[in-house]
Amino acid sequence: MKKIVLTLALAFVATVGFSQTEEELKTQLGAAKDSIAAIQGRADAIQGKIDALPGWKKGAFGTIGANLSSFNNWYGQGTPDLASGNIGVTVNAFANLKEEKFFWRNSANVNLGWVKFDDKNDDTDDDSFQKGTDVFNITSLYGRNISEKWAISGLAEYRTTILDNFNDPGYLDLGVGATWNPITDLVVVIHPLNYNFVFSDNDAVFESSLGAKIVADYTKKIGAVNFKSNLSMFQSYKSGDLSNLTWINSFGYTLWNGIGLGFEFGLRDNKQEALNFALADNPAETFDTVDNKLQTYFLVGLNYAF
C-alpha cells in the first residue's frame, strides 16, 4: 500500500512539475513574440523614413502560375487521352523619383497567359499553347508640388495587348490636372482635361475623345508583403459609350529568398471592346443593344520579388 501511495505521489509531483515548466515556456514564448513585434515596429519606422527620402525608388514583383496535366486511357472523363495546361506570368514594376519640388512616377503592369487543351485522339485539333490573358499597361506621371499633398501634374498612360492584336485596340491617355497624395503610398490623379487616343483598324466602333481621367494607385511593401492596387478611369465628354475603366490588384507574400505566393485580380469595363467582339457573331449589334459584360481575370501561383 505504501508503495502505491508513493508511486501516485511521485506521478503527481512530475505532472505538476511538467505543467509549471510548460507555463513558464509559454510565458517566455509570449515575451519573445512581443520583442519580435517591437523590433519589427522599429524596423518599419526606419523603413518609412528611408522611403520618405528624396531620390529614386525602384522595385518589381509578380506571379508565375502553371498547371500542367496529361491523361491516358482515363475513361471516367469525356476525353480519356488528354494533355492540358495553363501558364500565366505577371510583372509589376515601378521607378519613382521624389524630390523636394517635384516627382516623377513610372509603373508597368504585364499579365500574359497561355492555355492548352489537346485531345490526343483528335489529329485535327491544335496541340499547342494558345494565347490567353494578354494585358500590357505603362504609366508615367510628372508633378510639381504646390503644397505638401497637392501638385499640378501631367499623365501619360498606354494600354494594349502584346501577344495578339498589338495596338488594335491601343489606348493612349494624355492629360493635365492635379494629383493628390494624402498618404505616402497613395496617389490620386484628377485630370479634367484628358484626351483618350484610341488606335484600331475598326474606326466604326473605336473612337478617340476628350474627357476626364481619374487614377488611384496604392503601392505598399510591409516586410515580406507586396501589395499594389491601380484603378484607371476615363469618362468621355462626348458619350458614355466611349468611357472605360480598368482596376488591377496584385498581392505577393515572400516566403524564402524572394520567392513566395502571389495573387492578381483584374477587371475592366469597356463598351467599345464589347461591341467589337459582338460584331463578329452579329453584324447588327450596336452600342444600344450590346451586352457589355464586366471583363475579369485572376492568377494564383508562385510570387517573386526583387
Side-chain angles (χ1 to χ4, degrees):
M1 185 64 180
K2 291 182 179 180
K3 292 182 178 180
I4 295 175
V5 172
L6 181 61
T7 301
L8 292 175
L10 290 174
F12 176 77
V13 171
T15 301
V16 171
F18 175 77
S19 298
Q20 291 175 340
T21 303
E22 183 180 12
E23 291 300 323
E24 291 173 355
L25 290 174
K26 287 182 178 180
T27 301
Q28 294 174 10
L29 179 61
K33 288 182 177 180
D34 291 340
S35 299
I36 293 173
I39 294 171
Q40 185 62 56
R42 292 195 295 270
D44 291 342
I46 295 173
Q47 185 63 52
K49 293 180 180 180
I50 294 174
D51 294 339
L53 293 174
W56 282 100
K57 300 293 188 299
K58 304 174 184 178
F61 73 97
T63 301
I64 300 176
N67 181 6
L68 306 176
S69 62
S70 179
F71 295 89
N72 293 293
N73 303 319
W74 198 264
Y75 299 116
Q77 60 186 22
T79 308
D81 302 297
L82 173 67
S84 64
N86 190 323
I87 300 174
V89 179
T90 72
V91 178
N92 291 281
F94 67 90
N96 299 331
L97 174 63
K98 181 180 181 181
E99 297 292 347
E100 181 180 354
K101 295 183 178 180
F102 71 92
F103 60 84
W104 185 23
R105 301 174 61 90
N106 304 277
S107 64
N109 173 263
V110 181
N111 187 318
L112 306 177
W114 295 264
V115 179
K116 175 180 180 177
F117 190 91
D118 173 31
D119 184 350
K120 301 175 185 178
N121 298 322
D122 185 358
D123 295 332
T124 63
D125 72 345
D126 194 337
D127 61 356
S128 62
F129 277 90
Q130 304 296 307
K131 294 178 288 291
T133 309
D134 193 355
V135 177
F136 179 79
N137 186 5
I138 56 175
T139 302
S140 183
L141 174 68
Y142 177 83
R144 300 287 298 186
N145 297 322
I146 58 176
S147 69
E148 182 180 355
K149 298 184 182 298
W150 287 92
I152 301 299
S153 57
L155 173 73
E157 182 184 78
Y158 178 68
R159 307 184 309 280
T160 187
T161 55
I162 56 179
L163 296 179
D164 195 15
N165 299 325
F166 175 73
N167 208 39
D168 183 24
Y171 305 90
L172 174 63
D173 281 291
L174 296 176
V176 293
T179 293
W180 180 41
N181 186 201
I183 58 176
T184 302
D185 305 298
L186 175 62
V187 175
V188 181
V189 179
I190 307 168
H191 285 181
L193 185 60
N194 182 92
Y195 201 82
N196 179 235
F197 295 91
V198 184
F199 310 100
S200 175
D201 294 336
N202 190 352
D203 295 335
V205 175
F206 293 97
E207 182 180 352
S208 304
S209 64
L210 181 69
K213 184 76 173 181
I214 297 177
V215 176
D217 185 274
Y218 183 78
T219 303
K220 184 70 174 180
K221 178 177 173 63
I222 305 175
V225 177
N226 287 283
F227 177 77
K228 181 179 178 66
S229 180
N230 182 273
L231 173 65
S232 178
M233 302 172 58
F234 172 73
Q235 179 62 51
S236 174
Y237 292 148
K238 183 175 183 178
S239 171
D241 295 334
L242 307 181
S243 303
N244 59 72
L245 175 152
T246 301
W247 188 20
I248 298 175
N249 299 276
S250 304
F251 173 85
Y253 181 72
T254 303
L255 296 173
W256 173 79
N257 201 26
I259 300 175
L261 301 176
F263 172 77
E264 179 164 304
F265 172 74
L267 59 84
R268 174 181 291 170
D269 181 85
N270 192 311
K271 202 169 186 178
Q272 294 178 94
E273 293 179 353
L275 178 58
N276 185 61
F277 181 80
L279 286 173
D281 295 327
N282 183 10
E285 284 280 14
T286 66
F287 278 117
D288 295 328
T289 62
V290 68
D291 184 10
N292 182 26
K293 296 180 180 179
L294 187 66
Q295 306 172 44
T296 65
Y297 75 82
F298 75 89
L299 176 67
V300 179
L302 291 177
N303 172 261
Y304 61 90
F306 54 88

